Amino acid sequence: MLEMRQVSKVYRTAMVETHALRSLDLHVREGEFVAVTGPSGSGKTTFLNIAGLLETFDSGDYLLDGENVRGLSDDARSRLRNRKIGFIFQGFNLIPDLNLFDNVDVPLRYRGLPAAERRQRIEKLLDTMVQNTPVAMLLWADGGDGVARVVYANLAARKLLNDGRKLEGQRMDAVLEGLPAELREAVARGGDSLFGVSPEGAEDEDAEEEVYHLSRRRFTLNGRHHELLLLRLLTPELRRQEVHTWKKVIRVISHELNNSLAPIASLAHSGAELVRRGRHERLAEVFSTIEDRARHLEGFIRGYARFAKLPQPQPQLQAVDWEDFLARLQRQIGFELDGMAADLRARVDPAQMEQALLNLLKNAHEAGEEAGNTQVQVRLRRLPGWTRLEVLDRGPGMNEAVLQNALLPFYSTKRNGTGLGLALTREIVEAHGGRLSLQNRADGGLCVAVMLPEQ
């Protein structure tokens, strides 16, 4: 399939020669999977360029599917590459001005295939991709009798909604009737939504529900109104994220426990040595330090216990004028308002949102004091479907490790910090259907962004 014999490649300049490949021998048979590994500068890219017929070589032989490519012209290599070689990129590398069908069509046009054969190949390829995607896809449209029937269902949709049997031609009301109530309600709502489905026949209230993402869209095709339903099971991914989060939390707990237990163990050993030497006058100092570390550890564990018992925030939504709301906030803690807030309104829980923003502003002031610049700004602007509120400071910012862990409960870089402020703030924001994110500013400082959906 692919054979290289004594292939060498040398890059030459007026001053130096660089041997990228030196007498390389390689034989890859049909059906084999080969990974090329090595440190930077070892010749991986040169090898791939030669194997992909993008670059020539200086000596040796290269047989691709039995044909020796040495000495082929650029046009001959291009024709052979078009027929025999495919490249898979980390990015999609699609032509932005072309749709998906035409992007696939481009290399087939270069191959000189007739239009009918190209269409047949592309449709077969796209159908294979759609059929085997893990996302359940269901397309339906009204028939001549005005009854909505399934036009298309991929394998995932058949498995999820009809025990693997075909769905095409069935009435949509009959299909929906056999689905769990949670799924029927999500389909009726339309748009994009997350919902959970309890296991069928589960009597245990703690039985884990399956979490799905649903997307429903309407469009017109050939003069007929269609609806497309995309349904994806998110439970495995959420479990992976949960395990990842637990690992991060355990690292924080281990760090705190070790910070207290290591000095306690060391002091206990020192105390034993003092007793052995009869120097009892210093034992009071040892016991005092042990008591101090033990109380710190007790407070840390008590704090975790309290956090675990905190109820999920239940916002009592009210119409809020952002201009008035932020003016009241300014009377409690100083900041500059950047941007017009007069025409922006929202439905939030005023008390909870005030608590969240006060915590962010307090953090911003403390960060600024550390860097000697206490300028704090609040920026408010409207995005499509969202209101974005930013709290900006001129502090030292956060390194990558702190950014990744800052929203974890009890993670804190402050000497006397509890590590609860940002975690609780995120809970409040997410209870409002929003998102909280942190990023360093290009010109110094930190930006904490609160994204709230338009109600």
Side-chain angles (χ1 to χ4, degrees):
M1 183 69 179
L2 186 156
E3 185 176 1
M4 292 186 179
R5 303 170 184 163
Q6 296 292 297
V7 170
S8 297
K9 175 70 177 180
V10 181
Y11 294 102
R12 293 179 173 87
T13 67
M15 301 292 293
V16 71
E17 287 188 353
T18 303
H19 290 261
L21 293 179
R22 197 191 300 265
S23 302
L24 173 67
D25 289 316
L26 177 70
H27 190 188
V28 180
R29 297 172 179 81
E30 185 175 356
E32 287 185 328
F33 181 90
V34 177
V36 181
T37 63
S40 178
S42 61
K44 301 186 298 297
T45 301
T46 301
F47 162 74
L48 290 174
N49 285 341
I50 292 174
L53 303 180
L54 297 172
E55 196 169 341
T56 60
F57 49 98
D58 296 319
S59 62
D61 293 296
Y62 171 22
L63 281 74
L64 179 61
D65 209 13
E67 181 175 354
N68 197 333
V69 305
R70 184 178 182 185
L72 290 180
S73 66
D74 285 345
D75 288 344
R77 289 203 312 274
S78 295
R79 287 192 294 270
L80 184 60
R81 181 172 61 248
N82 183 273
R83 297 197 319 270
K84 298 289 186 180
I85 293 176
F87 294 92
I88 300 175
F89 298 96
Q90 286 181 316
F92 294 116
N93 285 338
L94 297 176
I95 301 172
D97 295 334
L98 301 181
N99 61 28
L100 179 59
F101 187 97
D102 290 337
N103 265 281
V104 180
D105 189 41
V106 168
L108 300 182
R109 283 177 178 268
Y110 283 125
R111 191 175 296 184
L113 296 179
E117 184 179 351
R118 296 202 312 269
R119 172 172 287 277
Q120 183 180 18
R121 287 193 179 201
I122 295 169
E123 289 179 347
K124 183 178 180 180
L125 171 66
L126 296 180
D127 181 66
T128 301
M129 292 174 59
V130 170
Q131 281 287 0
N132 291 282
T133 179
V135 179
M137 304 177 67
L138 190 69
L139 179 67
W140 70 89
D142 291 339
D145 56 1
V147 176
R149 286 185 168 84
V150 177
V151 177
Y152 178 85
N154 69 351
L155 296 176
R158 295 177 187 179
K159 181 179 178 181
L160 181 65
L161 306 177
N162 202 34
D163 295 325
R165 299 187 299 272
K166 290 188 67 173
L167 283 161
E168 285 79 0
Q170 293 193 31
R171 296 169 60 113
M172 267 306 296
D173 54 3
V175 173
L176 294 173
E177 188 177 343
L179 302 180
E182 299 93 338
L183 177 51
R184 291 199 304 271
E185 293 169 2
V187 173
R189 286 194 301 269
D192 293 280
S193 62
L194 285 174
F195 65 95
V197 176
S198 300
E200 188 176 355
E203 298 180 358
D204 185 0
E205 293 183 358
D206 295 329
E208 185 175 5
E209 64 180 10
E210 299 282 10
V211 180
Y212 293 88
H213 177 265
L214 177 142
S215 180
R216 179 178 174 181
R217 294 291 185 270
R218 296 178 173 87
F219 63 93
T220 301
L221 180 65
N222 298 328
R224 292 177 62 195
H225 294 297
H226 290 69
E227 295 202 47
L228 177 65
L229 184 71
L230 303 177
L231 194 61
R232 182 180 180 186
L233 178 64
L234 294 182
T235 307
E237 179 61 29
L238 292 175
R239 284 176 181 153
R240 283 192 290 271
Q241 290 296 327
E242 184 179 14
V243 169
H244 179 64
T245 301
W246 270 114
K247 286 181 178 178
K248 293 169 75 173
V249 171
I250 289 169
R251 282 199 296 270
V252 173
I253 294 175
S254 299
H255 177 76
E256 287 293 333
L257 290 177
N258 188 60
N259 280 351
S260 291
L261 293 177
I264 287 175
S266 176
L267 287 165
H269 175 74
S270 299
E273 281 294 305
L274 291 172
V275 170
R276 187 177 65 82
R277 298 176 186 177
R279 299 176 59 184
H280 300 164
E281 68 280 358
R282 295 192 58 193
L283 287 178
E285 179 184 349
V286 170
F287 289 140
S288 175
T289 307
I290 290 176
E291 181 183 19
D292 179 64
R293 297 312 305 170
R295 289 192 184 280
H296 173 82
L297 185 57
E298 180 187 19
F300 174 77
I301 294 172
R302 191 186 303 117
Y304 247 110
R306 282 200 306 268
F307 182 78
K309 295 174 184 176
L310 284 175
Q312 181 75 17
Q314 301 292 332
Q316 304 298 314
L317 301 182
Q318 301 176 26
V320 167
D321 181 283
W322 278 112
E323 188 174 30
D324 292 341
F325 181 84
L326 293 175
R328 289 198 305 273
L329 205 60
Q330 273 182 312
R331 290 194 285 270
Q332 300 180 59
I333 189 168
F335 62 86
E336 297 176 15
L337 182 59
D338 179 16
M340 296 297 293
D343 61 336
L344 288 177
R345 307 179 70 85
R347 286 182 59 80
V348 299
D349 185 311
Q352 289 187 11
M353 194 54 58
E354 181 178 289
Q355 177 187 350
L357 294 180
L358 280 173
N359 181 65
L360 297 182
L361 289 164
K362 178 173 174 289
N363 286 349
H365 277 282
E366 291 176 353
E369 289 172 0
E370 184 180 342
N373 186 341
T374 57
Q375 180 191 23
V376 175
Q377 287 181 307
V378 171
R379 183 180 298 158
L380 191 66
R381 52 198 174 106
R382 176 181 287 130
L383 300 176
W386 297 86
T387 296
R388 180 181 174 95
L389 187 148
E390 298 174 343
V391 177
L392 308 139
D393 67 53
R394 287 297 181 189
M398 295 182 177
N399 62 40
E400 192 63 32
V402 175
L403 277 175
Q404 290 181 2
N405 294 293
L407 297 176
L408 279 178
F410 295 95
Y411 181 88
S412 177
T413 57
K414 302 175 186 175
R415 181 175 179 83
N416 297 312
T418 64
L420 284 176
L422 281 176
L424 292 174
T425 298
R426 182 174 70 170
E427 280 217 40
I428 290 172
V429 172
E430 291 180 350
H432 282 75
R435 302 194 299 267
L436 181 71
S437 63
L438 296 82
Q439 63 184 57
N440 288 315
R441 302 173 68 183
D443 51 351
L446 188 72
C447 170
V448 183
V450 176
M451 296 283 288
L452 295 171
E454 289 187 354
Q455 300 291 334

